[in-house]
Amino acid sequence: MPGPRGFFLRLAALGLLLASLPAWSGDLKSPYFTATKPGAWAHYLLTYSDGTKSSYVYERLPDNNDRVAIDVRIKVLEREGKDSRVKNTHIQSKAFDLDRDGLSYIKFTEEMSLNYNGNDVPVDEATLAVVKDGSKDFRDAVTFEVTEKIGERTCDRYAYSVKTGGPEPTVESGQLWLDASVPFAIVKQVAKVTRNDGQKVTDFEMLLQGIGLNPLNGGTAIVPPPPAVGDVTVPSMVSLSSAFKAGLVGLEIEAVPGSAGRQLRLALVNKTGEELTVTIPAGDMDFAVASPVNTLRMTFAKAAIVALPANDKAAPLPVAQRGKHGIGEGSCALSVHEGTPVFSGNATMAALPE
């Protein structure tokens, strides 16, 4: 029996291979990604023929060094793995063009990580190559059928049949209903998946449950109530600076021994009962904190996106401490409670070396 990481890698791979968004085709009669701006999300219910049901939330994150970033959050609602959660983060190559390639984003994934219990597990190059090989590419594989209503949405319906590679090649045939006003384009998808010998693997249906724009993630509209299936909700996303000032996230700081305070270990602590996703830009950040620190000056070598489980903390990040005076030794916890900065710990302040 595989351990938790193995199960979630299988769960992620199954979701990617069976329910990954289809690829851009020259045969599509319109661009369908005008609504997929930073902060845009779409929530789907995916139902398989064996009764397995899963919630999928696709969200476009802030760009990562000029590369499009996409989150896929999955929760199993029924059957094997019920209540299991997994989050995949995809960082696209700079060659990725969202308008042209949006539906085949997996083919353009340059970096991928899997988040389990708040810990990001990078997907190695060999595994990523298998995932990409097994993902779907709909170029020259779709046929427009008709424009029709799905609920209140006017959609373009396409028929398709595509092959996937990987260790277990399959053929997937089905229909897609696309709407350019929907982030990630899909309103409905139905399909049958078979092996090359014609043996059935599964049938599935994916239905849109809700859409929105997350203003904390670059969206310009007020985010509507998060979509839900059962108890699944869209996790909040917020910048580290905003989260600290609002008292949502605390900082646990440790001076790295031997660095005279120039190097710190920083752990983010979720002070809320809800999952948070915290964005950290690369570069300098200053925090107004309690005495004796007063101003914490840090430099982040690279941008990061940190998933924080409710009332829990993430693994420490290495950061540099700037300035002439700061935390020289020891450790401390810094937070904001009802607008008031709070300090606890045994950190010693010192002049920092040049």
Side-chain angles (χ1 to χ4, degrees), residues 253-255 260-262 264 287-298 321-334 342-353:
I253 306 287
E254 178 188 10
R262 281 302 182 195
L264 304 175
F287 295 84
V289 297
S291 177
V293 181
N294 298 319
T295 302
L296 178 65
R297 297 180 174 89
M298 295 186 292
Q321 185 175 203
R322 304 177 355 266
K324 297 181 178 180
H325 190 263
I327 300 170
E329 294 181 336
S331 61
C332 63
L334 303 170
V342 178
F343 170 95
S344 64
N346 60 1
T348 300
M349 306 305 295
L352 302 179

Side-chain angles (χ1 to χ4, degrees), residues 50-340:
D50 67 355
T52 299
K53 292 185 179 181
S54 298
S55 166
Y56 276 68
V57 177
Y58 295 85
E59 182 171 356
R60 182 177 172 186
L61 305 178
D63 288 352
N64 183 309
N65 294 326
D66 297 322
R67 297 176 298 171
V68 172
I70 296 171
D71 247 7
V72 185
R73 298 188 288 275
I74 307 166
K75 181 179 179 181
V76 179
L77 305 174
E78 298 291 344
R79 294 184 64 85
E80 181 186 1
K82 186 176 184 296
D83 296 326
S84 301
R85 297 174 183 262
V86 68
K87 179 169 75 73
N88 303 313
T89 300
H90 296 260
I91 308 299
Q92 309 306 106
S93 72
K94 290 189 176 181
F96 177 72
D97 183 327
L98 181 62
D99 288 337
R100 185 190 66 224
D101 308 314
L103 287 170
S104 64
Y105 72 96
I106 295 175
K107 292 290 187 186
F108 293 83
T109 296
E110 190 169 66
E111 298 175 26
M112 179 180 170
S113 62
L114 176 70
N115 189 283
Y116 173 59
N117 281 347
N119 297 310
D120 285 316
V121 180
V123 175
D124 60 72
E125 291 185 6
T127 302
L128 179 57
V130 172
V131 170
K132 293 170 71 172
D133 188 36
S135 66
K136 293 172 284 189
D137 188 343
F138 279 36
R139 285 171 289 190
D140 300 321
V142 301
T143 302
F144 175 73
E145 293 186 322
V146 69
T147 298
E148 62 184 5
K149 288 275 193 178
I150 297 293
E152 296 300 314
R153 297 189 180 278
T154 300
C155 303
D156 293 334
R157 189 181 80 202
Y158 291 84
Y160 71 90
S161 180
V162 295
K163 295 181 179 180
T164 66
E168 295 187 5
T170 62
V171 178
E172 179 178 308
S173 301
Q175 293 174 307
L176 292 162
W177 286 260
L178 306 180
D179 178 358
S181 69
V182 172
F184 298 96
I186 294 179
V187 173
K188 180 179 178 180
Q189 180 179 7
V190 295
K192 177 181 180 180
V193 182
T194 61
R195 303 190 195 283
N196 286 343
D197 61 6
Q199 181 182 357
K200 177 182 170 181
V201 177
T202 189
D203 295 334
F204 69 86
E205 178 181 78
M206 187 165 74
L207 285 174
L208 182 68
Q209 304 294 300
I211 63 174
L213 278 171
N214 185 345
L216 297 177
N217 189 15
T220 57
I222 297 174
V223 64
V229 175
D231 62 347
V232 179
T233 58
V234 178
S236 300
M237 177 169 284
V238 64
S239 69
L240 176 57
S241 177
S242 297
F244 180 77
K245 290 177 183 177
L248 304 178
V249 171
L251 312 177
E252 289 189 356
I253 306 287
E254 178 188 10
V256 175
S259 71
R262 281 302 182 195
Q263 299 297 319
L264 304 175
R265 295 188 183 99
L266 167 68
L268 306 186
V269 182
N270 188 347
K271 298 289 187 177
T272 79
E274 302 292 335
E275 180 183 351
L276 291 175
T277 302
V278 180
T279 62
I280 305 174
D284 297 342
M285 294 184 68
D286 293 351
F287 295 84
V289 297
S291 177
V293 181
N294 298 319
T295 302
L296 178 65
R297 297 180 174 89
M298 295 186 292
T299 299
F300 294 85
K302 62 181 181 179
I305 299 173
V306 181
L308 288 175
N311 300 307
D312 204 348
K313 66 180 180 180
L317 299 170
V319 297
Q321 185 175 203
R322 304 177 355 266
K324 297 181 178 180
H325 190 263
I327 300 170
E329 294 181 336
S331 61
C332 63
L334 303 170
S335 60
V336 175
H337 179 67
E338 296 181 353
T340 301

